[in-house]
Amino acid sequence: MKGFSRTLIYVLFIVVIFYLFALKAQRSQTVELGRYPLHFLSGKEYEGTVTFKRRGDGTEFLVIKLNTRAPEEMIVLLTDQDGVTREVGRFQGATFIISLPEPLFFERVKKIELQAAGGGQIWAETQIHKES
């Protein structure tokens, strides 16, 4: 009785490799949950957007993009549906990316504020209005 040919084993090995790459690509897909404009309270020369995304593994993250670098260090504050405000991070550039903390999900976020770290004044904010 003859065993499997070497060529058949190589072909099966290549098929399995391609299948694993396809699974990895499918899991790594990122879906945009929502995109909202930032409303700046001081200085009209700034523009920005807030984007919520979900990775293939189910984790959610927040991306804040400004058209230019922030003038000073900013504190990012998230307010949930219960009215509880949490600091989720600080940034000093034009882009801020962070995974949402475990108790917060996109569905629970109601408002995002950028607060100047030095003066404590609110610099920009956005209200999250979800489609029903």
Side-chain angles (χ1 to χ4, degrees):
M1 184 156 102
K2 189 175 178 185
F4 291 112
S5 71
R6 190 173 276 183
T7 307
L8 179 62
I9 291 174
Y10 289 144
V11 169
L12 287 175
F13 180 73
I14 291 172
V15 168
V16 169
I17 294 294
F18 281 125
Y19 177 72
L20 291 176
F21 279 126
L23 280 178
K24 183 177 180 184
Q26 184 180 12
R27 278 188 279 140
S28 67
Q29 290 178 349
T30 301
V31 177
E32 185 173 297
L33 301 173
R35 180 182 300 255
Y36 306 95
L38 273 171
H39 303 288
F40 293 87
L41 305 177
S42 62
K44 301 297 181 196
E45 69 273 4
Y46 292 101
E47 294 178 8
T49 59
V50 173
T51 308
F52 289 92
K53 295 184 178 185
R54 180 178 292 137
R55 293 184 186 102
D57 62 358
T59 59
E60 296 178 358
F61 63 100
L62 167 69
V63 179
I64 298 175
K65 288 187 180 181
L66 305 177
N67 65 337
T68 186
R69 183 179 172 90
E72 60 181 291
E73 184 179 34
M74 294 290 148
I75 300 171
V76 180
L77 303 170
L78 267 67
T79 304
D80 64 11
Q81 292 173 342
D82 300 329
V84 177
T85 301
R86 296 180 177 108
E87 178 183 334
V88 294
R90 295 172 180 239
F91 76 103
Q92 201 165 5
T95 303
F96 174 78
I97 302 173
I98 192 166
S99 293
L100 291 177
E102 200 54 43
L104 277 179
F105 298 103
F106 167 67
E107 291 79 18
R108 295 200 38 84
V109 176
K110 184 177 180 182
K111 181 169 72 169
I112 296 176
E113 296 176 334
L114 298 181
Q115 180 180 9
Q121 64 197 27
I122 301 299
W123 192 63
E125 69 178 5
T126 187
Q127 298 286 332
I128 308 299
H129 303 287
K130 296 169 183 78
E131 301 290 326
S132 298

